[in-house]
Amino acid sequence: MKKIITIFLICIYNFSNGQELKSHSFIKKESNIVDGTHETKIIITESEIILKNYANNKTNDLIRIIERSEMKPYNGINCIWYYCISTEKNLFRGDYRKSIFIYDKVGKNIVFADFASEIDIYWTKFLL
């Protein structure tokens, strides 16, 4: 009888702790591919990245401040990763929006990951 109760308690313990795991399947991802038909100029300086005519229905510039950059692989190719934050605080969350730009010189594209929240990630691929 003690063995059955012990096994039952172990099963309950494992089941309850299994609910606490974080799953990436809940992350909302949206992706776009921007090619030569769209007029978006990308300016990369030492301190910021500017996407011309990108925000607010392609009428305003999107500006991100570069926090750090590093060279590391992406899809098996060494790329420059730019870790950025927005210039303005989010009104609802009270923090800065985070972004990552991955510059692939070989494939001639830039991948832009914009983290609206911990759940919402918006991906855009710019073909150069």
Side-chain angles (χ1 to χ4, degrees):
M1 187 66 177
K2 289 182 182 181
K3 289 182 182 180
I4 294 174
I5 292 174
T6 306
I7 292 173
F8 179 73
L9 292 175
I10 289 173
C11 290
I12 297 248
Y13 176 78
N14 287 336
F15 180 73
S16 65
N17 284 337
Q19 299 295 324
E20 295 177 12
L21 297 175
K22 294 182 180 179
S23 172
H24 295 289
S25 63
F26 293 109
I27 293 178
K28 177 183 174 187
K29 296 180 182 178
E30 291 186 13
S31 60
N32 296 329
I33 296 180
V34 179
D35 57 8
T37 61
H38 292 86
E39 289 290 328
T40 302
K41 292 181 182 178
I42 302 169
I43 301 169
I44 301 174
T45 66
E46 292 292 323
S47 61
E48 63 186 14
I49 297 177
I50 303 169
L51 300 176
K52 294 283 191 181
N53 298 328
Y54 183 79
N56 293 338
N57 207 8
K58 301 194 186 301
T59 58
N60 292 343
D61 298 343
L62 181 75
I63 302 171
R64 294 290 191 247
I65 298 170
I66 298 174
E67 288 189 316
R68 66 184 170 95
S69 63
E70 63 183 48
M71 181 75 86
K72 64 183 195 179
Y74 175 73
N75 287 339
I77 300 169
N78 278 340
C79 301
I80 302 172
W81 291 59
Y82 295 98
Y83 297 92
C84 305
I85 60 169
S86 62
T87 55
E88 300 170 355
K89 280 190 174 183
N90 186 334
L91 295 175
F92 300 107
R93 297 181 57 208
D95 59 353
Y96 293 96
R97 193 167 177 161
K98 297 182 180 182
S99 303
I100 297 175
F101 289 86
I102 304 169
Y103 179 39
D104 178 10
K105 291 182 181 179
V106 175
K108 295 186 179 179
N109 62 55
I110 293 179
V111 177
F112 170 47
D114 192 27
F115 298 87
S117 67
E118 294 175 358
I119 299 172
D120 299 320
I121 303 171
Y122 299 97
W123 293 86
T124 304
K125 185 173 188 176
F126 297 96
L127 304 177
L128 305 176

